Amino acid sequence: MPGKLKAKIVAGRQLPVMDRASDLTDAFVEVKFGNTTFKTDVYPKSLNPQWNSEWFKFEVDDEDLQDEPLQITVLDHDTYSANDAIGKVYIDIDPLLSSEAATVISGWFPIYDTIHGIRGEINVLVKVDLFNDSNRFRQSSCGVKFFCTTSIPRCYRVVTVHGFVEELVVNEDPEYQWIDRIRTPRASNEARQRLISLMSGELQRKIGLKVLEMGGNAVVGYLQCFDLEGESGLVVRAIGTACTLDKLSSLPTAALPAFPQHDKNCILSVPTPTPPLPAGMGSGGSVGKEGGPLKTLLRQQTQTALEQREFPFFTLTCFPPGFLVHVGGVVSARSVKLLDRIHNPDEPETRDAWWEEIRQEIKSHAKALGCHAVVGYSESTSICEEVCILSASGTAAILNSRFMQEGCLDSYSEHRLSQQAVFFSAGSERGEFDMFLQSKDSSASLGLEEPSPPSCGFCHIPYDELNMPFPTHLTYCYNCRRQKVPDVLFTTIDLPVEAAITGKGCLIQARLCRLKKKAQGEANATAISNLLPFMEYELHTQLMNKLKLRGMNALFGLRIQISVGENMLVGLASATGVYLTALPSPGGIQIAGKTPSDIAYEQHISNMQKKINDTIAKNKELYEINPPEIIEEAVGSPIPEPRQRSRLFRSHSESSDEVWELDLSHGKKDAFVLEIDDTDAVEDIHSLLTDAPPPVGKSGTGPHISQLQMLTEDLMFTSVRVFRLSNVNMTNQGLNKIFNELCENLLKSLYFKLRSMAPCCLCHLNFVVAVPEEDLIQVSLMQPTLTPQLDPSQSSRSPTTISENEEQLQFPLELCTESPSSQPFSPSKGTGTEGWTVSTSVDYSSFADRCSTWIELIKLKAQTIRRGSIKTTSSQEKASPLPEGRSRSLRSTKSCSGSTVSVVKMTPLPFLPGTKIVKYLGIINMFFIRETTSLREEGGVSGFLHCFIAEVFSMVRAHVAALGGNAVVSYSMKECVFMENPNKNQAQCLINVSGDAVIFVRESELEAPTAPPHTSVAQNAGSGADGTT
Amino acid sequence: MEIMSVELDVFVGNTTIMDEEVYQFWLDGYTVSDAVKVRMEGGVLEECEASAEVLQSDTMDQYRTFQMCERLLHTPAKLANQLLFQIPPHRQAMLIERYYAFDSAFVREVLGKKLSKGTKKDLDDVSLKTGITLKSCRRQFDNFKRVFKVVEELKGPLVENIQTHFLLSDKLARDYAAIVFFANNRFETGKRKLQYLSFQDFAFCAGQLISNWTVGAVDNMVEDMDVDLDKEFLQDLKDLKILITDKDLLDQHKSLVCTALRGKTKVYSEMEANFKNLSRGLINIAAKLTNTKDVRDLFIDLVEKFIEPCRSDRWTAADMKLFLIHYTNSAHILDTFKHQVTWDRYMGVIKSCILKMYHD
């Protein structure tokens, strides 16, 4: 009996009236775990019952502790008929199983019912006593920590990165099990919620076991998804990166810089693992061609370490400095499958095999790019009826071996010999080292194994220049001038901390719709398979053109979704565009008419060309892209004639094994010559140009944002829109145009909503498209975080500059309020404010790396900006319409209200600007279904969904607060499936959300002493959640 | 032909965001399309380069949010403890304060009326007359009624009760106390002759009455202490009649006042001529207050019996003040007049009310 779970039901409040006669409720509670159920007494005639129950004790295996949620059902006692359920609370007790996370769950939880939504609240206390389990063959994996965050969680140090873990579990969907409809939809939705909660627990436990087998103690970048396959079942699958993490605890906080540097510090503090040059040892012979024995050795070591793994994949998108050596480019694979019934849920072989197949493809693509690993890896599906598109994508990369091996440094020399042998075969057949390594050796032999400067090293090509996997155009790195770089780089990862960039980043989005004939089964799958490559091709072209148009040369955080509907496919690719200083400046875009024709036509062409050139020039100014002019040295090929090089490697497979690769290089044609040979192409160019930049104000001289300000309010949004297309005879072109407008409008809406917060910065915009029904397009814009700009993160600089930083914190505020418009904070102009401008660019890059995946900068007119900036400092006082005396008494109500409802922030970012995360409390992974049979009465579909999303937020907040936390980081809404039947006045929606519950403290509060603030905050939050009873 | 329509459009924040301007439109009972129209004219669009659709969608979102919050606003204390919406405290205060704010034109129409279904039915007339939307009228009326119902049965000071239950500012809580007080005592405020008085005039008077004439003025822990007038006191007021029924007293009183005022006012002769009438007027009002009907007519009586005669004699506000001070004080010097306490309690309130009400 390795664990004892204890639960206590304290009280309820604001329960619904269940007895119409008395306008009261006779409530009692059932507490269920596994097969054991306890009940409280009935608390008669009250809407605010005080049960104050005994401790209900469940003695259970820790396996069950991981799988099962604690189920709390609130019921209304009825003497004569069956008791009516008021609602339920599911509590995931996993956070209590890890010694470092939460110790108690205590607080008010919304009581949730799938039909009525939230119906009152219940105060619950939960504890777990775990006994030590010496059983080696255990089935549980208690204690393995899970993080949704796709970087090494702050306040931890990574000891080893073990690698990819994946698992999936399958079950029948209760909704389809009861096809005879004996049960109500409510019962089947209840069952679904319970089942998915159970499956998530099981999945997590199984992944945990794999992590333990690998010797790790944590999963970072945990990504769990549901596939609602309809009649063929329900699949819950997850991927993640197994790591061994060390808690950074005893370090004095004041001396701690912001997180990324922890890693750096700890890495640097370790003696550089430079082995002496391999003395003879035959390396000369076999590696002769490569000639860079040192680097070779390093690479080879990593490689072997990675090759021992089935899939050298990493779900991380942000890495400790030095981890990423080179980046090859985006690799992706898609496959169209026909869903069939899963006959034996315990052996979900087909699903496993499908993913296995896709991962193999990804792996081979990475190999072709000369890379041994894939980072920023993710998987997704899109299902329509019985057709399913499986997608996987990531960024091919070469990684530093030091993180791969346990006790890396000590074992280094031991491993070397054995691994070298492996390398020789692999290495020579690949022939992956470029010639220039030789010239570098001199520096390498000085004892530094990493001669590339960190600001550009990752851009250097990992593949062999003479045997390039795709046509591309190489030049010497504009930063170090020593190695070759491609002219464009696409990646799925965040911009590395150390990367040097010029100017600002911006959101770049490619959008595409393709009509498809309605079809069934095999024919449908084939039709989709045939369309996919064209869609990828077009999306890629669009991205490339839009990137050029903004004068940029690299994409980060690229995410390409292709969703399938009954009669169309929708593609959406989003990424942050930046100008990497190391890469060459992108060429322009040329327009060419198809055939020489009349003068008017020529005129038209040249007008268009002019427009494009103007746009590029304007964008360069807008995003402050002024790369230093570099005299073209003889080494590189001439730049003015850019050619397309595709970094996107992909393939599609049908149900068959047929795999083909797509040459995205447009044959021999110059890609940046856009041919306008028909009206469609003209449209394309137009849509290219109509992409609205974020509002700049008509004057266009709004100050640029530069610093992150401390958030006074928590700004995280979810926006969902569904559009109905009513034109039957839609063409691809028309469809594209509409879709483009939809996305643009959504962004415009966003800019508008957030206007009062300007100047601000939107980051991590997460667009999701779906085609829920015929003629319906659903676009969800999830969790764009808005970060009033400011300073902060400054601690990311070395501790010695702290005092300087404080000054800077003052400075921007003053500047904003007093001279809002006349002082553009652009590096190029701020000669008078030297310190400021320097920090601008520094801040930007540090900000960008942390926040991006996608960054949008919003600039509004001066007056709006003034309002916004003042707001952050003085809104508390100003907004209160109350006279002094009263507002004082209000403040007291506020403080007492704080005791029952503590503020919980949410952010899709892995951190909160201006704060420091002091503790991770565990993963939040929740699944809810809401249904209604009175859609009109609830305000139609919008009213229904609006309310549901608000309810989901509130339930997440309640769970976090009960764990003692005050924020959710890396929050994401994975699933939002909406279905309606207006004729029957019905609708239903499923939402799945996840994130990491944390305790944060403001950096300003951290300045002073060390440990006490943390613990006190933790306690406050905890006791705050206890509530007043 | 419309080739695309928006089926669903929501925008939800973890922290509930709301635009104060749109909130006001909603409170004022504007329809979404009216609000959009006004906002467009307001120039938000130019400022942000947004389209009309954007404005429409934003307005809809906000209206939905307000509708969902409305239930909570009915019991403002819940707003701070509910889990559904995360709203910063200063925003909560704003939401509540604005929700309970009312139009002075509206409140003038229903002040002193019974807060019943019947009155509610007449709100469309009120709406027509005041130009305030029916929706807004209903909200304001329901607010009055809700506050009335809650504080009706409570012990303790009225203003404090309103503040603790509805979390209103001091000023607004006092206004509500006046509304509740007027509704409970059904004071007549609608007569034509009273039209010149503003809500604030009445609210001031209500404050005076509450702090001096109610049960609560003597005992602060009874139910309805601030709502019901002190019956004993009203009974005692009959004793004041002696000031007009006793000829000697009346003459004495008159000569004392006249001595004090001689040479100090331009309307001396008018005052002297009218003294007996004026004094009779004030004291008859006092003596009749045991009848509920006459309590209701308190303000109309004050106007007809006292304010109007003075006004027709062109008394200035200063004249009025001077007269009332001496009229009140002189009674203390009258040897045979034994009801000084009742007199002060009565005249203190009457004096302040008349002074407040004596304007054009």
Side-chain angles (χ1 to χ4, degrees), chain A residues 714 716 718 722 724 900 957, chain B residues 5 7 12 14 81 83 86:
Chain A
D714 158 23
M716 202 277 305
T718 294
V722 175
R724 180 175 296 284
T900 53
R957 287 194 302 261
Chain B
S5 56
E7 281 280 296
V12 191
N14 176 35
N81 283 319
L83 302 180
Q86 182 162 282

Side-chain angles (χ1 to χ4, degrees), chain A residues 220-298:
Chain A
V220 180
Y222 185 68
L223 173 73
Q224 183 188 293
C225 295
F226 300 96
D227 295 331
L228 300 164
E229 294 188 353
E231 285 179 45
S232 63
L234 191 64
V235 177
V236 186
R237 57 193 163 79
I239 55 176
T241 305
C243 295
T244 302
L245 298 181
D246 245 6
K247 183 137 171 96
L248 295 165
S249 50
S250 53
L251 290 168
T253 21
L256 281 182
F259 195 68
Q261 238 132 29
H262 299 325
D263 300 288
K264 196 181 256 170
N265 291 346
C266 71
I267 295 157
L268 293 180
S269 67
V270 173
T272 327
T274 313
L277 276 173
M281 225 237 73
S283 67
S286 343
V287 199
K289 185 182 139 225
E290 288 82 11
L294 230 170
K295 177 150 188 174
T296 305
L297 191 64
L298 170 74

Side-chain angles (χ1 to χ4, degrees), chain A residues 13 714 716 718-722 724 726 742 752-753 755 879 886 900 904 941-942 946 954 957 980, chain B residues 2-5 7-10 12-15 19 48 55 57-58 61 64 68 81 83-84 86 168:
Chain A
R13 66 182 181 194
D714 158 23
M716 202 277 305
T718 294
S719 177
V720 181
R721 283 189 185 184
V722 175
R724 180 175 296 284
S726 46
L742 302 186
F752 178 76
K753 299 252 187 201
R755 68 195 183 284
R886 181 55 193 158
T900 53
V904 176
V941 286
S942 296
H946 191 136
S954 78
R957 287 194 302 261
E980 60 164 325
Chain B
E2 189 75 58
I3 46 170
M4 162 201 94
S5 56
E7 281 280 296
L8 183 160
D9 179 6
V10 297
V12 191
N14 176 35
T15 296
D19 182 314
C48 306
L55 216 48
S57 138
D58 178 61
D61 268 323
R64 267 198 309 272
M68 283 191 265
N81 283 319
L83 302 180
L84 188 55
Q86 182 162 282
L168 302 180

